[in-house]
Structure formats: C-alpha cells, structure tokens
Amino acid sequence: MQHLAYFVALWVLLAGLYGVVTSRNYVHLVACVAVLQSATYIILLAAGFRTGGVPPIFYGVPVGTRTVDPVVQALMLTDIVVEATVAALLLSIAVQLHKASGTANPSELEALEG
Amino acid sequence: MTRSVRLTMFFAGAILLTIFFVASLGNVPAVGDYPGPYGNVLSAVVVYERHVTNIVTAVNFDYRAVDTMVEESILFLSVAGSAVLLRQMRSEEKKENDDRKLKDSEEKTSIPSSSDATRGFALLIVGPMVLFGLYIVTHGQLTPGGGFQGGVIIATAFLLLYLAGDFTRFREIVSHTFVAIIEGIALFTYVFIGFLGMFEEKAFLQNVLPFGRTGDVVSGGTIWVLSCATGIAVATGVLEVIYAFLEQVLEEWSR
C-alpha cells in the first residue's frame, strides 16, 4: 500500500464532510469543519515525508542526515492558523444565531425575512 | 432541502470523489519517496547560512517571512471579525448597567463556581505554563517551536485564570485595553523589522541583523526577533478573541 496516507486523508475528509452534512448543532458543525481541514494537513505531510528521515531540527544532529521536507511543515503551520481563524469566526456566527433564534439546530432556522 | 436529499447528494459526491481520487493517483510517487530538491537544499545550507538549527522556523521567519506576515494579518482580521460579530448591540447606558448588575448578580448567577480541584490545579500550573510558552517562543530557532506555538500556549495559560475564577477576576488581571494595545505594537514591530532591510538598500524582510553563534538563544538575525514579535501578537490576539466570547457572559448575567 504505497499510497495509504493519501487514502487516510480522503477518509478523514469524507468523515468530516458527512458530519457537516448531517449536523444538528452549530458547534458540532464547526468541529467537523476543523476535521475537514485536518485532511489537508495529512496530504501535505505525506507529500513531504521521507522514509527513515529525521525531523528537520539539527540541534545535536549532525548536518547531512537525511531529513523530511521542512517546507511543507512550514506550510502546515500557516494552515493551522487559518483553521483557528475560520473556527473563531464560525463560532461567533453560531453564538449570534443562537441568541437571535433561540436554537442551535441548522435545520430549525427559518428563512430570512426582508 | 430535506435530510434524505442531502444525504443522497453527499453519497453520490463521495463516490465520485473516490473514483477520481484513485484514478489520479496513477503516477504519484509512493509515500516516503521524497524526490524534490527544496528539502535537500534547505537541510544542507540553512545551518551554515543562518546559524539556526530549526529549519522550519527559518523557512517561516526568513525564507518565507512574507507569508508569515500575511498569516498574522489573517489572525488580526479574525480577531477584529470576532469582536465585530460579537459586539453588544445595545444603547450607550449599557456600561453603567453592566457594572451595577455585576455587583448584585454575584449571588444569583446561574453559572456554577469552579471546584476546588480546578482552582488548585490552575493556581499550580499557570506560572509554569507561561514560562513554558515563553521558552517555546524564544527557543523557536533551536528546537521545535516558534512564535505561533508559544503564543497559543501563553494565551491558554491566561484562559486558565478564567476557568479557575470567574469573568470579573479575569478582567481585573488581564486588562482589555492593554491586550489590544500590545497586539497592535507587536504587529507593527514585525513590519518595522521588515523595513530594516530596506534602510540598508536590501530587500524587505531581509535578514540584516548579526547572525550570532549556532546554538545560542539570540541567533539567526531577524529570525529570533520576528519569532518573539509573532509570539506576542498571537498570544494577545487569541486573548482578544477570548475576551470577545467571554463578554457574552456579561450579557447572560444582565438578562
């Protein structure tokens, strides 16, 4: 199974998407969106992995040992910041919706009235 | 649309996605078979070029420092967005009402006070946690860590104060205006360090400070300074978001 990590990422993506589709509570929905975003981390890290590679930290490790790719790890750091951002904004919207309509269930919301 | 229609569409889409995914994995190299040049180049030269041992932090704060600057502005935007979305949409007499209601709602609050175990644990752990967060921030260029990770740890340490006490104590210890001002100063510091390079007729965010000795805490030129500025900006930014959510507690009390 040479592509196992990519299939794991696909499974996590589908599980998160299923949670979003069948969610009955806004907070649960935000957690499922976070799970969705974790699938992208798995793909990034799997793309930069090297079998038998050490982490790209040379503190005490001689320069020249084969490490895994550090560039995708830096990309992933920024990705996590974006996830925290999206979760904070979505939760703010959820709080305001609960205050305005009294329910946290997406399917119990009524349509907007102009 | 009804739940069953949604589920049917989801399963159809999932099957299609799986088919296309498997079909597109045709010639992709196996996991673990890293071919690309960038990782090899960076692992070979960064320790000698910048005198740091953490390649990921060097990429984040030196080679791709522009991306990190945009990331911090994304964080700042989310803080501002949360504060705007959770703003209290009432009249201006709200402030006096708040303080008056705080004083006489201490007895009839519906939020249960925290247990002794929580309070004892928080008392023990807040100090070491802030110290640990500062260690992660300042040693970002030597061992795994950096500004983002350490900043979140420091912000969580302050959140423990709220968990141990209640919102009034938290507001007394962590002043809202102070946090907001420090966040602006930290973000401004990041951009100002970037302009240091332009004063010497080099590129924006070029590493122009002295590199130091590999293994020292203060090494890597601007990498250390940018990591500390990012740590402070992230810690205060997360505290601002926490404030925006905890102000809702005031609304609950005054209802």
Side-chain angles (χ1 to χ4, degrees):
Chain A
M1 277 300 246
Q2 51 179 354
H3 293 137
L4 182 61
Y6 296 126
F7 286 117
V8 168
L10 178 71
W11 170 253
V12 170
L13 183 97
L14 289 177
L17 203 54
Y18 179 76
V20 170
V21 163
T22 61
S23 171
R24 289 189 307 267
N25 191 333
Y26 273 117
V27 182
H28 171 262
L29 197 136
V30 173
C32 289
V33 169
V35 168
L36 267 184
Q37 291 170 314
S38 305
T40 56
Y41 309 155
I42 299 177
I43 290 189
L44 270 181
L45 290 180
F49 184 64
R50 165 182 276 145
T51 326
V54 299
I57 317 279
F58 287 112
Y59 195 73
V61 173
V63 180
T65 41
R66 316 267 286 169
T67 64
V68 298
D69 187 18
V71 177
V72 284
Q73 297 192 2
L75 285 178
M76 217 196 84
L77 267 179
T78 56
D79 212 348
I80 292 184
V81 172
V82 170
E83 172 185 5
T85 304
V86 167
L89 287 174
L90 281 179
L91 283 173
S92 314
I93 297 179
V95 165
Q96 293 290 53
L97 270 174
H98 177 79
K99 274 199 303 187
S101 64
T103 174
N105 198 335
S107 39
E108 281 178 19
L109 272 192
E110 290 140 14
L112 284 177
E113 296 170 19
Chain B
M1 57 175 68
T2 63
R3 194 164 183 269
S4 54
V5 173
R6 251 187 293 160
L7 269 181
T8 321
M9 279 182 60
F10 166 72
F11 280 120
I15 293 176
L16 265 179
L17 178 66
T18 315
I19 294 175
F20 282 127
F21 195 82
V22 172
S24 69
L25 278 180
N27 280 334
V28 172
V31 176
D33 194 13
Y34 177 64
Y38 289 122
N40 302 331
V41 168
L42 278 173
S43 301
V45 305
V46 170
V47 182
Y48 299 122
E49 272 191 9
R50 299 285 190 261
H51 300 193
V52 296
T53 50
N54 186 351
I55 316 271
V56 182
T57 307
V59 170
N60 256 333
F61 291 114
D62 189 345
Y63 293 100
R64 300 300 314 170
V66 180
D67 291 340
T68 311
M69 189 178 74
V70 177
E71 276 308 308
E72 286 201 42
S73 60
I74 289 179
L75 197 64
F76 183 69
L77 214 63
S78 119
V79 165
S82 298
V84 162
L85 278 174
L86 290 171
R87 75 188 179 282
Q88 287 144 347
M89 305 187 257
R90 270 175 287 168
S91 59
E92 287 83 72
E93 298 96 285
K94 205 198 106 28
K95 196 72 174 49
E96 293 89 89
N97 285 346
D98 265 345
D99 295 326
R100 207 168 11 97
K101 287 198 169 74
L102 261 182
K103 294 194 176 49
D104 53 31
S105 74
E106 291 288 348
E107 298 86 18
K108 52 180 168 54
T109 177
S110 61
I111 302 169
S113 61
S114 48
S115 66
D116 283 340
T118 316
R119 247 181 285 189
F121 181 74
L123 187 69
L124 280 178
I125 207 82
V126 161
M129 207 162 163
V130 172
L131 199 62
F132 186 64
L134 287 174
Y135 155 71
I136 295 274
V137 168
T138 52
H139 287 68
Q141 69 276 4
L142 300 175
T143 45
F148 289 102
Q149 296 94 315
V152 173
I153 294 178
I154 295 176
T156 315
F158 282 116
L159 180 63
L160 274 183
L161 288 176
Y162 165 71
L163 285 178
D166 52 6
F167 187 45
T168 36
R169 307 274 184 280
F170 181 71
R171 256 197 333 186
E172 285 163 18
I173 300 177
V174 184
S175 150
H176 197 176
T177 338
F178 185 65
V179 163
I181 293 176
I182 295 291
E183 184 191 10
I185 292 179
L187 282 172
F188 173 73
T189 306
Y190 195 105
V191 180
F192 181 72
I193 300 286
F195 278 117
L196 278 185
M198 299 184 74
F199 292 151
E200 301 189 15
E201 290 165 11
K202 294 192 188 141
F204 179 65
L205 280 171
Q206 175 107 355
N207 205 335
V208 292
L209 293 179
F211 287 147
R213 195 178 46 177
T214 316
D216 275 356
V217 173
V218 185
S219 62
T222 55
I223 294 180
W224 184 76
V225 186
L226 289 179
S227 179
C228 291
T230 307
I232 297 175
V234 167
T236 46
V238 174
L239 271 179
E240 280 272 349
V241 173
I242 289 175
Y243 252 111
F245 275 99
L246 288 183
E247 301 268 333
Q248 303 292 312
V249 175
L250 270 183
E251 283 198 27
E252 287 296 319
W253 278 352
S254 59
R255 236 182 243 172

